[in-house]
Amino acid sequence: MTIAVQVPPPAGQLPADFLWGYATAAYQIEGSPEADGRGLSIWDTFSRDPAHTEDGKSGDIATDSYARYEEDIALMKSYGVTAYRFSLSWSRIIPLGGKNDPVNPAGIAYYRKFMKALIANGIEPMCTLFHWDLPQALQDRYTGFCSRDIIEDFVNYAKVCFDNFNDLVNLWITINEPNVYALMGHCLGTQAPGRSSDRKISPEGDSSLEPLIVGHNLLLSHGAIAKLYREGGYKLPGKKLGIVINVNWGEPYDDTEESLEAAADFMSVTSEWYAHPVYCGDYSERTKRVIGANLPKFTPEEIELVKDSSDFFGLNHYTTYLIRRPSSEISGSNMLMRFMGNVETTVTYPDGTEIGPKAGLSWVRPVPWGFKKLLKYLYKNYGKDIYITENGVICPNEGSLPYPEILEDDYRISYFRDYVDQIIALKDSVPVKAYIGWSFLDNFEWQEGYTARFGVTYVDYEDNLKRYPKKSAIYMTEYMGKAIAKA
Ligand code: PNW
């Protein structure tokens, strides 16, 4: 089937070295959980309990991309992308995860073959070390990121990756969204490892403490890996390493002092919690105040370790919320609200209008002006080059539309185009170096199972996982092809 698209010219040009492409994560697409000696990860364990996903399905098959990588790369090449952001499965490389556990040569051989195929097709590998699929053995051994023991094991895993892949990778990402991993896995318990204070959800966990400890150990791990990368001879000219933080924009609900403070608290706890240590060396004063005594403390040596440990600001951004103080007292069990700065998020202004059109998933609405404000805010605060490492949306009804109507994703086209246009509008004031959309394929969307389709490529789960480009894929090929200057 061929889809006709009309692509008006872009509003301006992006530099010739601007990176453009799509992202995925290992557990969301690979499947083949036992191939070539892979060990179990916490996402195998978690998602094999049908109560943990919307459709009761796990990532055991996913989009079968471990086996179909050549087909996937050929499709990506046809999209004209210049970069692909993917993650490595730790338990394929070190099946039991730890520094004294054996390395798996078959896992390494696979990823080398895969990266070489990307490069041979003119696609720059953007490689994430940890996108949430921790080896189960480390969760069992010492509760994973709840323990400081993780740091040495994570550094060892990073070293194995640098030793084996650094000749093929110019852009490394240590951790994907430490904030989401800490909170969904250890406060709400809706993602692996599924820990929470709520004993109906988990037999173990402490929603008020563990996310902070996990966050702290993620930051220390990132700092230690960056030190290894820089001091171990891996940071060669043209190579970079950074962390990816998920930041949504929080706009004050109204112009009262109370809402302005609430929005500042929201931004502080949802993004500064990680960004401030990574770029400035310690938790910000506001984060310390909002979170309070439970926030772990860095020693002076640790501050030095995490300070300026990322070569760029890796930004995953999806949406904007209106922020106000909650109308009633936050109950002790609603810890997530506390981790959002003791605020309430809404999408409806005082006059009843909505911040953006409803999407196919409740938490994401297109608000391109919020993205623009965020880019200015992040550059003003941290002064780093910004790499957009994820940005995407689901169309209304996309979960239920049949093929081929489902390919007509005009809603996604508007979203992508409006967001890229903010980057173009700011090109002389905010250095954005990459735009990576989420996602290359419909895939295993964590607790949503296969019900939430973020891809520019439709995957037919009923018919041998066949791939079909959606209209957005075709549109973006032409749009980005025109927007990025020719070298
Ligand atoms: C990201 N939010 O998670 C992840 O990196 C991807 O693996 C995931 O598939 C994708 O976004 C879509 O969900 C997020 O609440 C989770 O703003 C939550 C939020 C943003 C990103």
Side-chain angles (χ1 to χ4, degrees), residues 32-61:
S32 300
E34 273 147 36
D36 299 333
R38 175 182 177 281
L40 278 183
S41 83
I42 58 172
W43 266 99
D44 295 302
T45 317
F46 185 79
S47 73
R48 284 173 186 172
D49 178 341
H52 286 156
T53 53
E54 188 64 29
D55 52 8
K57 293 186 180 144
S58 72
D60 276 342
I61 298 172

Side-chain angles (χ1 to χ4, degrees), residues 28 131-132 176-177 180 246 248 316 318 321 363 390 438 445-446 454:
Q28 295 181 270
H131 197 127
W132 308 351
N176 180 70
E177 299 185 350
V180 176
N246 166 53
N248 292 321
N316 286 359
Y318 285 84
Y321 299 112
W363 58 265
E390 285 181 28
W438 185 269
E445 179 50 39
W446 310 115
F454 269 99

